[in-house]
Amino acid sequence: MTGAVDITLLVNGKTYTGRAEPRVTLADFLRDELRLTGTHLGCEHGACGACTVLMDGRTVRSCLLFAVQAQGHDLATVEGLAPAGGAEGLHPLQEAFHRMHALQCGFCTPGFLMSAYELLQSNPRPTEEEVRTWLSGNLCRCTGYQNIVEAVLAAAAEPEPEAHQ
Amino acid sequence: MKPAPFSYFAPRSLHEAVGLLVEHGDAAKVLAGGQSLVPMMAFRLAMPDVLVDLGGVGELEHSRVEGDTLVLGAMTRHRAVQDMGWLRTRCPLIVEGVELIGHPAIRNRGTVGGSLAHADPAAEWPAILLALDGEVDAVGPNGNRTIRAADLFQTYFTTALAPDEILTEVRLPLPDGAPTGSAFVEMARRHGDFAVAGVGTQISLHPNGTIVDARLALIGVADRPVRAGSAEAALRGHGPTEEVFAEAASVAIGEIEPSSDLHGSSDYRRHVAGVLVRRALTIAARRAAAA
Ligand SMILES: Cc1cc2nc3c(=O)[nH]c(=O)nc-3n(C[C@H](O)[C@H](O)[C@H](O)COP(=O)(O)OP(=O)(O)OC[C@H]3O[C@@H](n4cnc5c(N)ncnc54)[C@H](O)[C@@H]3O)c2cc1C
Ligand code: FES
Ligand code: FES
Protein backbone atom coordinates (compact mmCIF):
# COMPACT_ATOMS: atom_id res chain seq x y z
CA MET A 1 0.00 0.00 0.00
CA THR A 2 2.83 2.44 -0.66
CA GLY A 3 1.16 3.33 -3.96
CA ALA A 4 -1.35 6.14 -4.41
CA VAL A 5 -4.70 5.78 -2.71
CA ASP A 6 -7.95 7.72 -3.05
CA ILE A 7 -8.31 10.37 -0.38
CA THR A 8 -11.51 12.26 0.35
CA LEU A 9 -11.32 15.33 2.54
CA LEU A 10 -13.78 17.86 3.88
CA VAL A 11 -12.13 21.26 3.60
CA ASN A 12 -13.89 24.54 4.38
CA GLY A 13 -17.22 22.74 4.17
CA LYS A 14 -16.58 21.29 0.72
CA THR A 15 -15.75 17.69 -0.17
CA TYR A 16 -12.65 17.10 -2.28
CA THR A 17 -11.23 13.86 -3.66
CA GLY A 18 -7.71 13.24 -4.89
CA ARG A 19 -5.05 10.56 -5.05
CA ALA A 20 -1.78 10.42 -3.18
CA GLU A 21 0.69 8.05 -1.57
CA PRO A 22 0.26 7.62 2.20
CA ARG A 23 3.53 9.49 2.73
CA VAL A 24 2.07 12.71 1.32
CA THR A 25 1.46 15.20 4.10
CA LEU A 26 -1.82 17.04 4.45
CA ALA A 27 0.03 20.26 3.57
CA ASP A 28 1.34 18.87 0.27
CA PHE A 29 -2.01 17.30 -0.53
CA LEU A 30 -3.86 20.58 0.04
CA ARG A 31 -1.40 22.48 -2.08
CA ASP A 32 -0.48 20.10 -4.89
CA GLU A 33 -3.54 17.92 -5.25
CA LEU A 34 -6.38 20.22 -4.20
CA ARG A 35 -4.63 23.41 -5.34
CA LEU A 36 -5.46 25.12 -2.06
CA THR A 37 -2.18 26.98 -1.93
CA GLY A 38 -3.10 29.35 0.89
CA THR A 39 -1.51 26.93 3.36
CA HIS A 40 2.25 27.53 3.26
CA LEU A 41 5.20 25.29 4.02
CA GLY A 42 8.26 26.68 5.75
CA CYS A 43 10.28 24.10 7.63
CA GLU A 44 8.35 20.88 6.91
CA HIS A 45 9.19 19.53 10.35
CA GLY A 46 6.84 21.18 12.79
CA ALA A 47 8.94 24.14 13.89
CA CYS A 48 7.62 27.21 12.06
CA GLY A 49 3.81 27.01 12.09
CA ALA A 50 3.38 28.30 8.50
CA CYS A 51 1.34 25.19 7.63
CA THR A 52 -1.14 25.55 10.50
CA VAL A 53 -4.72 24.54 9.63
CA LEU A 54 -7.74 23.61 11.74
CA MET A 55 -8.88 20.05 12.18
CA ASP A 56 -12.20 19.68 14.00
CA GLY A 57 -11.77 23.26 15.17
CA ARG A 58 -8.25 22.86 16.56
CA THR A 59 -4.94 23.89 15.07
CA VAL A 60 -2.65 21.22 13.68
CA ARG A 61 0.61 21.34 11.78
CA SER A 62 -0.40 20.09 8.34
CA CYS A 63 3.22 19.11 7.65
CA LEU A 64 3.08 16.63 10.55
CA LEU A 65 -0.10 14.90 9.47
CA PHE A 66 -0.50 12.59 6.50
CA ALA A 67 -3.41 13.37 4.20
CA VAL A 68 -4.78 9.83 4.71
CA GLN A 69 -5.10 10.59 8.44
CA ALA A 70 -7.27 13.65 7.84
CA GLN A 71 -10.11 11.71 6.22
CA GLY A 72 -13.38 11.92 8.11
CA HIS A 73 -12.34 15.11 9.88
CA ASP A 74 -13.54 18.66 9.40
CA LEU A 75 -10.69 20.76 8.01
CA ALA A 76 -10.44 24.52 7.68
CA THR A 77 -7.71 26.42 5.87
CA VAL A 78 -7.04 30.12 5.44
CA GLU A 79 -9.16 30.03 2.26
CA GLY A 80 -12.19 29.36 4.45
CA LEU A 81 -11.58 32.13 6.94
CA ALA A 82 -13.34 34.99 5.15
CA PRO A 83 -17.13 34.61 5.39
CA ALA A 84 -18.97 33.53 2.20
CA GLY A 85 -15.70 32.71 0.45
CA GLY A 86 -14.66 36.35 0.63
CA ALA A 87 -17.80 37.69 -1.05
CA GLU A 88 -18.63 39.58 2.12
CA GLY A 89 -15.15 40.91 2.76
CA LEU A 90 -12.35 39.62 4.93
CA HIS A 91 -12.50 38.02 8.35
CA PRO A 92 -11.91 40.56 11.14
CA LEU A 93 -8.50 38.97 11.83
CA GLN A 94 -7.53 39.42 8.18
CA GLU A 95 -8.89 42.96 8.26
CA ALA A 96 -6.82 43.75 11.31
CA PHE A 97 -3.66 42.20 9.84
CA HIS A 98 -4.17 44.31 6.71
CA ARG A 99 -4.94 47.53 8.56
CA MET A 100 -2.16 47.23 11.11
CA HIS A 101 0.67 46.10 8.87
CA ALA A 102 0.92 42.66 10.45
CA LEU A 103 2.41 41.21 7.29
CA GLN A 104 5.21 42.08 4.98
CA CYS A 105 5.99 39.17 2.65
CA GLY A 106 2.93 37.26 3.91
CA PHE A 107 4.59 33.87 4.00
CA CYS A 108 3.84 33.22 7.66
CA THR A 109 0.44 34.93 7.60
CA PRO A 110 -1.89 31.97 6.92
CA GLY A 111 -0.40 30.11 9.88
CA PHE A 112 -0.67 33.10 12.18
CA LEU A 113 -4.27 33.69 11.14
CA MET A 114 -5.32 30.10 11.83
CA SER A 115 -3.52 30.04 15.18
CA ALA A 116 -5.02 33.37 16.18
CA TYR A 117 -8.43 32.14 15.08
CA GLU A 118 -8.21 29.16 17.43
CA LEU A 119 -7.11 31.45 20.26
CA LEU A 120 -10.04 33.84 19.83
CA GLN A 121 -12.49 30.93 19.64
CA SER A 122 -11.46 29.71 23.09
CA ASN A 123 -10.45 33.05 24.59
CA PRO A 124 -12.24 35.95 22.85
CA ARG A 125 -10.54 38.66 24.95
CA PRO A 126 -6.94 37.57 25.45
CA THR A 127 -4.31 39.72 27.13
CA GLU A 128 -1.21 40.72 25.21
CA GLU A 129 0.79 38.13 27.11
CA GLU A 130 -1.72 35.41 26.25
CA VAL A 131 -1.51 36.34 22.57
CA ARG A 132 2.30 36.24 22.64
CA THR A 133 2.39 32.90 24.42
CA TRP A 134 -0.22 31.37 22.13
CA LEU A 135 1.53 32.51 18.96
CA SER A 136 4.97 31.37 20.11
CA GLY A 137 4.68 28.37 17.80
CA ASN A 138 4.49 30.57 14.70
CA LEU A 139 7.61 32.14 13.30
CA CYS A 140 7.75 35.34 11.25
CA ARG A 141 11.03 36.16 9.60
CA CYS A 142 10.34 39.64 8.30
CA THR A 143 7.51 41.67 9.80
CA GLY A 144 8.40 41.12 13.42
CA TYR A 145 5.87 40.18 16.05
CA GLN A 146 4.78 43.55 17.41
CA ASN A 147 2.25 44.35 14.70
CA ILE A 148 0.99 40.79 14.57
CA VAL A 149 0.22 40.83 18.29
CA GLU A 150 -1.43 44.24 17.99
CA ALA A 151 -3.56 43.06 15.08
CA VAL A 152 -4.81 40.05 17.02
CA LEU A 153 -5.64 42.26 19.99
CA ALA A 154 -7.47 44.68 17.69
CA ALA A 155 -9.49 41.87 16.10
CA ALA A 156 -10.33 40.57 19.58
CA ALA A 157 -11.74 43.95 20.53
CA GLU A 158 -14.29 43.70 17.71
CA PRO A 159 -17.68 41.96 17.90
CA GLU A 160 -17.58 38.23 17.18
CA PRO A 161 -17.97 37.54 13.43
CA GLU A 162 -19.97 34.77 11.81
CA ALA A 163 -17.12 32.37 11.07
CA HIS A 164 -16.86 29.60 8.51
CA GLN A 165 -18.77 26.44 9.39
CA MET B 1 12.26 16.96 3.72
CA LYS B 2 9.65 14.50 2.48
CA PRO B 3 9.14 11.21 4.33
CA ALA B 4 10.24 8.04 2.49
CA PRO B 5 7.48 5.75 1.17
CA PHE B 6 5.69 3.47 3.63
CA SER B 7 2.61 1.29 3.82
CA TYR B 8 -0.13 2.73 5.98
CA PHE B 9 -2.46 0.77 8.22
CA ALA B 10 -5.25 2.19 10.34
CA PRO B 11 -6.35 -0.59 12.71
CA ARG B 12 -9.62 -0.14 14.61
CA SER B 13 -8.64 -2.23 17.62
CA LEU B 14 -5.62 -2.88 19.80
CA HIS B 15 -5.74 -6.54 18.88
CA GLU B 16 -5.49 -5.66 15.21
CA ALA B 17 -2.65 -3.18 15.87
CA VAL B 18 -0.59 -5.77 17.75
CA GLY B 19 -1.22 -8.26 14.94
CA LEU B 20 0.18 -5.77 12.42
CA LEU B 21 3.31 -5.21 14.52
CA VAL B 22 3.88 -8.95 14.83
CA GLU B 23 3.35 -9.42 11.10
CA HIS B 24 5.72 -6.65 10.02
CA GLY B 25 8.33 -6.92 12.77
CA ASP B 26 11.13 -4.36 12.82
CA ALA B 27 9.89 -2.76 9.59
CA ALA B 28 6.86 -1.31 11.37
CA LYS B 29 6.39 1.63 13.71
CA VAL B 30 3.29 2.87 15.46
CA LEU B 31 2.13 6.40 14.72
CA ALA B 32 0.45 8.26 17.59
CA GLY B 33 0.31 12.08 17.42
CA GLY B 34 3.14 12.17 14.90
CA GLN B 35 4.70 15.23 16.53
CA SER B 36 8.06 13.50 17.00
CA LEU B 37 7.90 10.63 14.52
CA VAL B 38 6.86 12.65 11.46
CA PRO B 39 9.68 15.25 11.87
CA MET B 40 12.09 12.32 12.18
CA MET B 41 10.66 10.84 9.00
CA ALA B 42 10.94 14.21 7.25
CA PHE B 43 14.63 14.30 8.17
CA ARG B 44 14.84 10.62 7.17
CA LEU B 45 16.17 9.79 10.59
CA ALA B 46 13.29 7.31 10.63
CA MET B 47 12.27 5.36 7.53
CA PRO B 48 9.74 2.77 8.64
CA ASP B 49 8.37 0.57 5.84
CA VAL B 50 5.07 0.28 7.66
CA LEU B 51 3.14 2.76 9.79
CA VAL B 52 0.46 1.49 12.14
CA ASP B 53 -1.69 4.52 12.98
CA LEU B 54 -3.21 4.31 16.47
CA GLY B 55 -5.51 7.26 15.72
CA GLY B 56 -8.51 5.01 15.12
CA VAL B 57 -7.99 2.75 18.13
CA GLY B 58 -10.72 4.12 20.41
CA GLU B 59 -9.67 1.84 23.30
CA LEU B 60 -6.58 4.00 23.81
CA GLU B 61 -8.39 7.31 24.29
CA HIS B 62 -10.03 6.81 27.69
CA SER B 63 -9.22 8.90 30.70
CA ARG B 64 -10.69 8.57 34.18
CA VAL B 65 -9.95 8.79 37.87
CA GLU B 66 -9.90 5.50 39.79
CA GLY B 67 -9.67 6.15 43.50
CA ASP B 68 -6.59 8.35 43.80
CA THR B 69 -5.14 7.41 40.42
CA LEU B 70 -5.41 9.33 37.18
CA VAL B 71 -5.72 6.80 34.36
CA LEU B 72 -4.91 7.99 30.86
CA GLY B 73 -5.22 5.96 27.68
CA ALA B 74 -2.00 6.18 25.63
CA MET B 75 -3.69 8.26 22.92
CA THR B 76 -4.82 10.97 25.35
CA ARG B 77 -3.67 14.24 23.76
CA HIS B 78 -1.59 16.72 25.75
CA ARG B 79 -4.38 19.23 25.21
CA ALA B 80 -7.00 16.97 26.81
CA VAL B 81 -4.95 16.85 30.03
CA GLN B 82 -4.39 20.60 29.96
CA ASP B 83 -8.18 21.01 29.75
CA MET B 84 -8.81 19.02 32.98
CA GLY B 85 -9.56 22.08 35.10
CA TRP B 86 -9.83 20.17 38.40
CA LEU B 87 -6.36 18.71 37.94
CA ARG B 88 -4.75 22.13 38.11
CA THR B 89 -5.54 22.37 41.82
CA ARG B 90 -5.28 18.65 42.66
CA CYS B 91 -1.88 18.11 41.03
CA PRO B 92 -0.46 21.23 39.35
CA LEU B 93 2.74 19.34 38.53
CA ILE B 94 0.90 17.49 35.76
CA VAL B 95 -0.87 20.45 34.13
CA GLU B 96 2.11 22.80 34.45
CA GLY B 97 4.38 20.19 32.91
CA VAL B 98 2.01 19.52 30.02
CA GLU B 99 1.60 23.25 29.35
CA LEU B 100 5.33 23.50 28.79
CA ILE B 101 5.18 21.05 25.87
CA GLY B 102 5.70 22.89 22.59
CA HIS B 103 2.84 25.01 21.30
CA PRO B 104 -0.96 24.72 21.08
CA ALA B 105 -0.93 22.92 17.72
CA ILE B 106 1.64 20.42 19.04
CA ARG B 107 -0.43 19.77 22.18
CA ASN B 108 -3.60 19.30 20.09
CA ARG B 109 -2.00 16.27 18.41
CA GLY B 110 0.79 14.93 20.64
CA THR B 111 -0.09 12.12 23.05
CA VAL B 112 1.02 11.02 26.49
CA GLY B 113 1.85 7.53 25.20
CA GLY B 114 3.90 8.92 22.34
CA SER B 115 5.91 11.19 24.63
CA LEU B 116 6.69 8.39 27.06
CA ALA B 117 7.59 5.93 24.28
CA HIS B 118 9.72 8.53 22.52
CA ALA B 119 11.65 9.20 25.78
CA ASP B 120 13.33 12.45 24.91
CA PRO B 121 15.50 13.22 27.95
CA ALA B 122 14.21 16.82 27.92
CA ALA B 123 10.51 15.90 27.62
CA GLU B 124 8.06 16.71 30.40
CA TRP B 125 5.82 13.62 30.51
CA PRO B 126 8.61 11.23 31.54
CA ALA B 127 9.41 13.51 34.50
CA ILE B 128 5.73 13.67 35.50
CA LEU B 129 5.52 9.86 35.44
CA LEU B 130 8.74 9.51 37.44
CA ALA B 131 7.90 12.17 40.01
CA LEU B 132 4.52 10.59 40.73
CA ASP B 133 5.87 7.00 40.81
CA GLY B 134 3.46 6.14 38.02
CA GLU B 135 3.35 3.09 35.83
CA VAL B 136 2.37 2.14 32.30
CA ASP B 137 0.77 -0.89 30.71
CA ALA B 138 2.04 -2.33 27.48
CA VAL B 139 0.57 -5.02 25.30
CA GLY B 140 2.50 -7.22 22.90
CA PRO B 141 2.28 -10.65 21.28
CA ASN B 142 2.82 -12.27 24.69
CA GLY B 143 0.07 -10.29 26.39
CA ASN B 144 -0.01 -7.48 28.90
CA ARG B 145 2.61 -6.25 31.33
CA THR B 146 3.04 -3.33 33.67
CA ILE B 147 6.24 -1.27 33.72
CA ARG B 148 7.04 1.01 36.64
CA ALA B 149 8.29 4.51 35.86
CA ALA B 150 11.67 3.72 37.40
CA ASP B 151 12.15 0.83 34.93
CA LEU B 152 10.83 2.49 31.77
CA PHE B 153 13.52 4.97 30.70
CA GLN B 154 16.87 3.47 29.71
CA THR B 155 18.84 6.06 27.77
CA TYR B 156 18.37 8.65 25.01
CA PHE B 157 15.13 7.83 23.16
CA THR B 158 15.18 4.29 24.52
CA THR B 159 12.65 2.62 26.80
CA ALA B 160 12.00 -0.86 28.14
CA LEU B 161 9.26 -1.28 25.51
CA ALA B 162 9.96 -3.96 22.90
CA PRO B 163 9.51 -2.96 19.23
CA ASP B 164 6.35 -5.07 19.01
CA GLU B 165 4.83 -3.69 22.20
CA ILE B 166 2.27 -0.90 22.38
CA LEU B 167 2.01 1.33 25.41
CA THR B 168 -1.69 1.31 26.25
CA GLU B 169 -2.29 3.05 29.54
CA VAL B 170 -0.61 5.43 31.96
CA ARG B 171 -1.44 5.50 35.67
CA LEU B 172 -0.50 8.46 37.83
CA PRO B 173 -1.11 8.30 41.60
CA LEU B 174 -2.53 11.64 42.73
CA PRO B 175 -1.75 13.15 46.11
CA ASP B 176 -4.02 12.13 48.96
CA GLY B 177 -4.06 12.64 52.71
CA ALA B 178 -1.21 14.85 53.89
CA PRO B 179 -1.09 18.48 52.68
CA THR B 180 0.76 18.27 49.41
CA GLY B 181 2.07 20.78 46.92
CA SER B 182 3.64 20.27 43.52
CA ALA B 183 5.11 22.28 40.67
CA PHE B 184 6.86 21.98 37.33
CA VAL B 185 9.33 24.64 36.28
CA GLU B 186 11.83 24.79 33.47
CA MET B 187 14.17 26.99 31.51
CA ALA B 188 13.98 27.00 27.71
CA ARG B 189 15.64 29.23 25.14
CA ARG B 190 12.26 30.27 23.74
CA HIS B 191 8.74 29.56 24.94
CA GLY B 192 7.76 26.10 23.73
CA ASP B 193 11.26 24.86 23.02
CA PHE B 194 12.53 21.72 24.68
CA ALA B 195 13.91 22.57 28.12
CA VAL B 196 17.58 23.33 28.75
CA ALA B 197 16.70 21.91 32.16
CA GLY B 198 13.48 21.36 34.06
CA VAL B 199 12.25 20.12 37.43
CA GLY B 200 9.02 18.49 38.53
CA THR B 201 8.50 18.20 42.27
CA GLN B 202 5.92 17.16 44.82
CA ILE B 203 6.26 17.52 48.58
CA SER B 204 3.96 16.49 51.41
CA LEU B 205 3.99 17.99 54.89
CA HIS B 206 3.50 16.43 58.32
CA PRO B 207 1.02 18.24 60.59
CA ASN B 208 4.10 19.55 62.47
CA GLY B 209 5.22 21.24 59.27
CA THR B 210 8.17 19.05 58.34
CA ILE B 211 8.50 17.37 54.95
CA VAL B 212 7.35 13.74 55.05
CA ASP B 213 7.63 12.98 51.36
CA ALA B 214 9.58 14.67 48.58
CA ARG B 215 9.95 13.85 44.90
CA LEU B 216 12.29 15.57 42.47
CA ALA B 217 12.42 14.62 38.79
CA LEU B 218 14.86 16.46 36.53
CA ILE B 219 14.90 16.72 32.73
CA GLY B 220 17.48 17.87 30.20
CA VAL B 221 20.31 16.92 32.54
CA ALA B 222 21.25 13.35 31.62
CA ASP B 223 20.56 10.65 29.02
CA ARG B 224 17.14 10.11 30.62
CA PRO B 225 14.91 11.82 33.17
CA VAL B 226 16.43 11.53 36.64
CA ARG B 227 14.92 11.12 40.12
CA ALA B 228 17.19 12.92 42.56
CA GLY B 229 16.89 10.34 45.35
CA SER B 230 19.64 11.72 47.60
CA ALA B 231 18.22 15.23 47.41
CA GLU B 232 14.81 13.81 48.31
CA ALA B 233 16.35 12.12 51.34
CA ALA B 234 17.96 15.41 52.32
CA LEU B 235 14.52 17.03 52.38
CA ARG B 236 12.65 14.42 54.43
CA GLY B 237 12.24 15.25 58.08
CA HIS B 238 13.25 18.88 57.62
CA GLY B 239 11.20 22.04 57.51
CA PRO B 240 10.48 23.60 54.10
CA THR B 241 13.01 26.42 54.50
CA GLU B 242 15.26 28.23 52.06
CA GLU B 243 18.38 26.68 53.62
CA VAL B 244 16.98 23.15 53.35
CA PHE B 245 16.01 23.76 49.70
CA ALA B 246 19.48 25.16 48.91
CA GLU B 247 21.07 22.07 50.46
CA ALA B 248 18.73 19.80 48.44
CA ALA B 249 19.66 21.69 45.28
CA SER B 250 23.37 21.22 45.86
CA VAL B 251 22.83 17.49 46.47
CA ALA B 252 20.62 17.21 43.36
CA ILE B 253 23.19 18.68 41.00
CA GLY B 254 25.60 15.99 42.14
CA GLU B 255 23.14 13.36 40.95
CA ILE B 256 22.96 14.47 37.31
CA GLU B 257 25.32 14.26 34.37
CA PRO B 258 24.36 16.98 31.91
CA SER B 259 26.00 16.92 28.51
CA SER B 260 27.11 20.02 26.62
CA ASP B 261 25.39 21.07 23.43
CA LEU B 262 24.40 24.10 21.40
CA HIS B 263 21.94 25.19 24.09
CA GLY B 264 24.28 25.12 27.03
CA SER B 265 27.44 23.64 28.52
CA SER B 266 27.35 20.89 31.09
CA ASP B 267 28.30 23.34 33.88
CA TYR B 268 25.65 25.80 32.82
CA ARG B 269 22.95 23.11 32.81
CA ARG B 270 24.04 21.97 36.26
CA HIS B 271 23.78 25.53 37.52
CA VAL B 272 20.35 26.05 35.95
CA ALA B 273 19.14 22.73 37.38
CA GLY B 274 20.14 23.82 40.88
CA VAL B 275 18.29 27.11 40.56
CA LEU B 276 15.21 25.31 39.24
CA VAL B 277 15.22 22.78 42.08
CA ARG B 278 15.08 25.62 44.61
CA ARG B 279 12.43 27.45 42.62
CA ALA B 280 10.22 24.36 42.20
CA LEU B 281 10.51 23.42 45.88
CA THR B 282 9.61 26.95 46.97
CA ILE B 283 6.44 26.96 44.87
CA ALA B 284 5.47 23.43 45.93
CA ALA B 285 6.02 24.26 49.62
CA ARG B 286 3.85 27.34 49.35
CA ARG B 287 1.11 25.24 47.79
CA ALA B 288 1.46 22.50 50.40
CA ALA B 289 1.16 25.05 53.20
CA ALA B 290 -2.02 26.42 51.62
CA ALA B 291 -3.52 22.96 51.02
C1 LIG C 1 7.81 22.17 17.45
C2 LIG C 1 7.71 21.05 18.46
C3 LIG C 1 7.99 21.32 19.79
C4 LIG C 1 7.91 20.31 20.74
N1 LIG C 1 8.21 20.62 22.03
C5 LIG C 1 8.14 19.65 22.97
C6 LIG C 1 8.45 19.94 24.34
O1 LIG C 1 8.78 21.08 24.70
N2 LIG C 1 8.37 18.92 25.23
C7 LIG C 1 7.99 17.65 24.86
O2 LIG C 1 7.91 16.78 25.71
N3 LIG C 1 7.70 17.36 23.59
C8 LIG C 1 7.76 18.33 22.64
N4 LIG C 1 7.46 17.99 21.35
C9 LIG C 1 7.11 16.60 21.03
C10 LIG C 1 5.67 16.27 21.34
O3 LIG C 1 5.42 16.31 22.73
C11 LIG C 1 5.29 14.88 20.86
O4 LIG C 1 3.90 14.86 20.91
C12 LIG C 1 5.76 13.69 21.65
O5 LIG C 1 7.13 13.69 21.90
C13 LIG C 1 5.50 12.39 20.91
O6 LIG C 1 4.16 12.08 21.00
P1 LIG C 1 3.33 11.73 19.70
O7 LIG C 1 2.02 11.26 20.19
O8 LIG C 1 3.34 12.86 18.79
O9 LIG C 1 4.13 10.46 19.16
P2 LIG C 1 4.65 10.08 17.70
O10 LIG C 1 5.46 11.18 17.14
O11 LIG C 1 3.54 9.56 16.89
O12 LIG C 1 5.59 8.86 18.10
C14 LIG C 1 6.82 9.05 18.77
C15 LIG C 1 7.51 7.70 18.99
O13 LIG C 1 6.82 6.91 19.96
C16 LIG C 1 6.33 5.70 19.40
N5 LIG C 1 5.00 5.53 19.97
C17 LIG C 1 3.98 6.43 19.94
N6 LIG C 1 2.92 5.97 20.62
C18 LIG C 1 3.26 4.74 21.09
C19 LIG C 1 2.59 3.76 21.88
N7 LIG C 1 1.34 3.96 22.34
N8 LIG C 1 3.25 2.60 22.17
C20 LIG C 1 4.51 2.40 21.72
N9 LIG C 1 5.20 3.30 20.98
C21 LIG C 1 4.59 4.46 20.68
C22 LIG C 1 6.35 5.91 17.90
O14 LIG C 1 6.49 4.70 17.21
C23 LIG C 1 7.55 6.82 17.72
O15 LIG C 1 8.72 6.08 17.75
C24 LIG C 1 7.53 18.98 20.36
C25 LIG C 1 7.23 18.72 19.03
C26 LIG C 1 7.33 19.72 18.08
C27 LIG C 1 7.03 19.39 16.65
S1 FES D 1 5.95 23.84 7.62
FE1 FES D 1 4.79 22.86 9.13
S2 FES D 1 5.56 23.75 10.92
FE2 FES D 1 6.89 24.56 9.43
S1 FES E 1 5.47 38.40 6.92
FE1 FES E 1 7.27 37.61 6.02
S2 FES E 1 7.72 35.93 7.33
FE2 FES E 1 6.12 36.89 8.36
Side-chain angles (χ1 to χ4, degrees), chain A residues 41-44 46-51 61 63:
Chain A
L41 274 163
C43 66
E44 300 193 292
C48 76
C51 67
R61 308 282 214 221
C63 71

Side-chain angles (χ1 to χ4, degrees), chain A residues 45-47 61 64, chain B residues 29-39 54 74 78 100-103 106 109-111 113-115 117-118 122-124 161 165-167 192-194:
Chain A
H45 65 261
R61 308 282 214 221
L64 297 186
Chain B
K29 261 198 166 300
V30 298
L31 173 66
Q35 304 301 292
S36 296
L37 181 54
V38 180
L54 299 180
H78 307 322
L100 290 166
I101 301 174
H103 315 285
I106 308 299
R109 290 293 297 165
T111 67
S115 280
H118 189 58
E124 288 81 3
L161 291 167
E165 277 184 312
I166 296 176
L167 197 161
D193 280 7
F194 274 100

Side-chain angles (χ1 to χ4, degrees), chain A residues 1 23 28 44 59 118 136, chain B residues 1-3 8 103 108:
Chain A
M1 257 209 342
R23 68 171 173 143
D28 281 337
E44 300 193 292
T59 53
E118 185 191 35
S136 65
Chain B
M1 301 307 285
K2 308 286 183 195
Y8 173 81
H103 315 285
N108 284 340

